Amino acid sequence: MVLSRRFSTASLTFLVVMLTTAVLCLVVAGTAQAHSALVSSTPSDGSSTSEIPTEIVLEFNEDIQNIGNEIVVVDSEGTSVTDGEMVVDGPIVTQPIGVGAPGAYTVTWRVVSLDGHPISGEFSYELQVPQTVEATETTEASQEPTTETTDAATTETSVAPSSVDAEEDDTASGLGAAAPIAIGLAVLALVVVVVLVVRRRRAR
């Protein structure tokens, strides 16, 4: 009986220790899972956009403490475009940024969760050339040859009447110069005819 009681006591003690260990493990695991986590970002990780963003927006699964937070945005050359003061509104963290050139951008963030533990991460996005700019450049390039062709056609059209006018002027001046000569020859011919007629009458 004594051995049976001792065995029962030892078994009960072992069972209590095991249950206590299991509870502690669950508590630790629950505490670890209670840290804040990033749910989404704007722009999103790996995205490409032609609309120039003016801010970076991070959304977490729980409220973020308004202390010790930082968001840094750099371009492909490592130049920071972070511009302005960060705003924390519950689980939403917003960081204004300046206007940058097309290319790849990297966002590095660090925030403090409600339980006081800091969490951090990094993601990237790409800014493409806006389609309106490409369309404008293409339109301007296609219009330039048309303008030159139109100018050339206008020049040729304006030159043509000048050539015709010059030919008409030359013809008119030529006729004007030949008129006195024709009149003189006609008068001379008339005089010769008169002289011949007079001589014939005298010869009779």
Side-chain angles (χ1 to χ4, degrees):
M1 296 293 293
V2 175
L3 292 175
S4 178
R5 290 179 179 177
R6 288 181 179 179
F7 180 77
S8 298
T9 301
S11 299
L12 182 60
T13 302
F14 178 76
L15 181 61
V16 170
V17 171
M18 292 298 296
L19 289 175
T20 303
T21 302
V23 170
L24 290 176
C25 290
L26 291 175
V27 171
V28 172
T31 303
Q33 293 178 354
H35 292 337
S36 300
L38 181 65
V39 175
S40 64
S41 66
T42 305
S44 59
D45 184 20
S47 63
S48 296
T49 177
S50 58
E51 298 181 2
I52 301 176
T54 58
E55 60 185 14
I56 300 296
V57 181
L58 305 181
E59 182 178 358
F60 295 86
N61 63 336
E62 63 178 11
D63 292 350
I64 299 298
Q65 294 192 39
N66 193 12
I67 181 173
N69 304 318
E70 183 181 23
I71 297 178
V72 178
V73 185
V74 297
D75 59 17
S76 57
E77 297 181 354
T79 303
S80 175
V81 295
T82 307
D83 183 20
E85 185 177 354
M86 179 191 302
V87 177
V88 178
D89 184 12
I92 307 297
V93 181
T94 304
Q95 173 62 61
I97 61 175
V99 177
Y105 287 82
T106 302
V107 180
T108 305
W109 56 269
R110 178 184 182 278
V111 298
V112 179
S113 58
L114 282 178
D115 61 2
H117 286 83
I119 59 175
S120 60
E122 180 180 290
F123 66 91
S124 61
Y125 67 92
E126 183 177 0
L127 176 61
Q128 298 178 342
V129 178
Q131 296 180 357
T132 54
V133 176
E134 293 180 348
T136 302
E137 292 178 351
T138 303
T139 303
E140 291 178 352
S142 62
Q143 287 180 349
E144 288 180 357
T146 305
T147 303
E148 293 178 357
T149 304
T150 304
D151 293 341
T154 304
T155 303
E156 291 177 358
T157 304
S158 61
V159 169
S162 300
S163 301
V164 173
D165 293 341
E167 291 177 359
E168 291 178 355
D169 292 342
D170 292 342
T171 303
S173 60
L175 292 176
I181 298 174
I183 294 172
L185 291 175
V187 172
L188 180 59
L190 182 59
V191 171
V192 171
V193 171
V194 172
V195 171
L196 291 176
V197 171
V198 172
R199 285 185 179 181
R200 287 182 179 180
R201 287 182 179 179
R202 289 181 179 180
R204 293 178 180 178

